[in-house]
């Protein structure tokens, strides 16, 4: 069993920021990531463009130079990968943490490869691994996906996009422009208000001119191999369909947090309990960092405003 002073669970941008702080403080640390470096970013759509400008995605004041004001996925992967490699951060990739428990002042961490003890734990696991399911018959069909990668696959296909957020709108526009017959199925009365301001007019104009069909106030009744049954304010009917992108958002791994013993709010938001001044949870010496701090409100914390978590946490740890 290996002993490490600080174990950081999650190798995304905020986990990397924590690793940089640990190294600067001269602490024995390790980042444990179940996938590749910035695994969630790697699994984003190939052409994804950030809402934030490049300087707001910087960590540890390391300049992020991009071709446009708002960088794209491939530029972010290059930026964060270079930080890891050029700083020789101690990161274990493709290693999944299965459990974290505490006995007296020591944490015991099990992964699918190793067992560790640690004095401090930082959870920076994000939220992109567990999609919000729509819980209807047919959701498990092979034609249905909760993740979108590349529009080329959907050329000449009848594609239904469920959702009205940035991910759904980007997928609808890209797939339409690659030759898909796109229908958007929106559970609310309109396209999401938080859609990127330079994209929102584009999708609204494509819908208005009829190049992308859209139904609002939709309830999905059933997904079948060649159609979808839906209900709107006008009644129930079927839509011919080849593929479904159910882009209805994602959520943190609450089961993992509860298993560790982190308290969650007793409502639908499931906010984890932590001290905002230190990021320490109800479990002494166990900290949270990044988007996971927002519970189901995954739009509250993101790279831009949670970069500070790393410095806040290590200020607390070094005091101890």
């Amino acid at each position: 069993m290996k002993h490490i002073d600080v174990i950081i669970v999650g190798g995304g941008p905020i986990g990397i920021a924590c690793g940089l702080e640990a190294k600067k403080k001269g602490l024995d640390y390790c980042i444990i990531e179940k996938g590749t470096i910035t695994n969630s970013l790697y699994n984003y759509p190939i052409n994804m463009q950030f809402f934030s400008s490049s300087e707001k995605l910087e960590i540890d004041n390391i300049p992020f130079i991009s071709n446009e004001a708002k960088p794209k996925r491939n530029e972010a992967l290059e930026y964060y990968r270079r930080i890891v490699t050029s700083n020789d951060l101690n990161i274990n990739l493709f290693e999944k943490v299965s459990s974290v428990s505490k006995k007296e002042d020591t944490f015991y961490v099990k992964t699918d490869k190793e067992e560790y003890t640690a004095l401090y734990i930082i959870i920076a696991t994000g939220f992109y691994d567990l999609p919000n399911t729509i819980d209807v018959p047919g959701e498990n069909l092979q034609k249905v996906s909760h993740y979108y990668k590349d529009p080329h696959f959907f050329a000449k296909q009848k594609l239904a996009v469920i959702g009205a957020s940035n991910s759904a709108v980007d997928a609808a526009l890209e797939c339409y422009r690659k030759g898909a017959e796109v229908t958007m199925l929106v559970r609310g009365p309109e396209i999401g208000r938080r859609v990127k301001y330079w994209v929102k007019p584009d999708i609204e104009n494509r819908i208005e001119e009829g190049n992308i069909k859209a139904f609002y106030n939709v309830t999905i009744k059933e997904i079948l191999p060649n159609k979808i049954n839906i209900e709107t304010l006008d009644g129930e009917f079927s839509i011919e369909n080849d593929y479904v992108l159910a882009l209805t958002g994602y959520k943190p791994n609450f089961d993992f947090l509860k298993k560790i013993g982190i308290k969650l709010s007793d409502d639908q938001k499931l906010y984890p309990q932590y001290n905002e001044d230190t990021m320490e949870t109800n479990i002494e010496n166990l900290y949270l960092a990044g988007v996971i701090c927002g519970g189901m409100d995954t739009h509250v914390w993101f790279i831009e405003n949670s970069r500070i978590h790393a410095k806040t946490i290590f200020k607390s740890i070094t005091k101890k």
Side-chain angles (χ1 to χ4, degrees):
M1 187 175 290
K2 296 181 180 179
H3 178 78
I4 298 171
D5 288 341
V6 183
I7 288 181
I8 302 159
V9 184
I14 306 306
I16 291 169
C18 290
L20 289 170
E21 283 299 310
K23 184 173 183 178
K24 284 195 292 184
K25 301 295 185 185
L27 296 170
D28 179 29
Y29 74 95
C30 181
I31 303 169
I32 302 178
E33 165 57 54
K34 72 177 183 312
T36 188
I37 298 168
T38 60
N39 192 66
S40 291
L41 291 185
Y42 174 75
N43 286 304
Y44 280 0
I46 287 176
N47 301 317
M48 192 275 290
Q49 187 170 28
F50 283 86
F51 191 94
S52 300
S53 57
S54 58
E55 67 270 15
K56 292 181 178 180
L57 298 174
E58 293 174 354
I59 54 177
D60 201 39
N61 296 317
I62 300 170
F64 183 174
I65 309 300
S66 61
N67 293 326
E68 302 175 50
K70 299 180 186 299
K72 294 189 175 180
R73 165 187 170 275
N74 63 321
E75 294 175 307
L77 290 178
E78 177 73 16
Y79 173 71
Y80 296 117
R81 183 176 67 247
R82 289 295 297 272
I83 288 176
V84 170
T85 56
S86 62
N87 288 279
D88 194 24
L89 291 185
N90 185 22
I91 183 168
N92 293 358
L93 300 172
F94 302 101
E95 182 174 354
K96 185 176 181 179
V97 174
S98 55
S99 68
V100 177
S101 58
K102 189 179 184 184
K103 185 176 181 181
E104 297 179 349
D105 294 331
T106 302
F107 288 98
Y108 294 83
V109 179
K110 290 184 179 180
T111 76
D112 55 2
K113 293 183 178 179
E114 189 61 81
E115 294 186 9
Y116 305 86
T117 58
L119 299 177
Y120 302 93
I121 301 289
I122 301 170
I123 307 293
T125 48
F127 71 103
Y128 197 59
D129 297 319
L130 297 174
N132 294 321
T133 57
I134 54 177
D135 300 324
V136 300
E139 185 174 8
N140 294 325
L141 289 174
Q142 192 172 359
K143 64 182 274 187
V144 181
S145 176
H146 291 280
Y147 295 90
Y148 162 67
K149 193 75 172 180
D150 191 326
H152 175 84
F153 181 85
F154 300 103
K156 305 294 287 182
Q157 301 297 297
K158 292 179 174 63
L159 172 66
V161 178
I162 302 172
S165 63
N166 279 300
S167 56
V169 168
D170 285 346
L173 287 169
E174 289 185 6
C175 292
Y176 151 68
R177 293 194 165 105
K178 298 301 181 186
E181 184 180 318
V182 178
T183 300
M184 293 193 72
L185 303 177
V186 181
R187 291 179 291 181
E190 61 185 359
I191 295 296
R193 295 182 181 182
R194 288 196 295 268
V195 169
K196 290 172 281 195
Y197 64 84
W198 67 92
V199 174
K200 198 166 188 287
D202 191 1
I203 188 66
E204 291 174 339
N205 288 334
R206 302 296 76 74
I207 291 170
E208 184 177 351
E209 68 191 14
N211 284 321
I212 293 177
K213 296 176 185 176
F215 295 94
Y216 301 99
N217 300 301
V218 168
T219 299
I220 311 296
K221 306 298 288 186
E222 185 176 14
I223 301 172
L224 299 167
N226 60 354
K227 63 181 180 180
I228 301 179
N229 295 333
I230 70 169
E231 181 179 3
T232 70
L233 298 178
D234 297 322
E236 293 189 23
F237 53 96
S238 298
I239 299 172
E240 290 186 16
N241 173 256
D242 298 311
Y243 288 97
V244 177
L245 286 172
L247 303 178
T248 50
Y250 309 90
K251 59 188 175 184
N253 189 340
F254 294 114
D255 288 340
F256 180 64
L257 298 184
K258 288 188 285 189
K259 193 174 169 184
I260 295 171
I262 296 172
K263 293 181 180 178
L264 305 177
S265 63
D266 190 21
D267 55 26
Q268 292 183 336
K269 298 297 187 179
L270 298 172
Y271 297 129
Q273 181 178 316
Y274 66 94
N275 183 331
E276 293 183 5
D277 294 328
T278 63
M279 308 308 294
E280 189 173 17
T281 67
N282 57 286
I283 300 173
E284 188 179 7
N285 296 335
L286 193 151
Y287 298 81
L288 296 181
V291 70
I292 198 169
C293 298
M296 285 298 294
D297 281 340
T298 54
H299 62 278
V300 172
W301 292 104
F302 35 92
I303 299 170
E304 181 177 323
N305 65 353
S306 61
R307 299 177 294 180
I308 190 64
H309 290 174
K311 293 185 183 299
T312 301
I313 290 168
F314 282 93
K315 182 179 179 181
S316 171
I317 289 176
T318 51
K319 275 186 179 179
K320 293 186 177 189

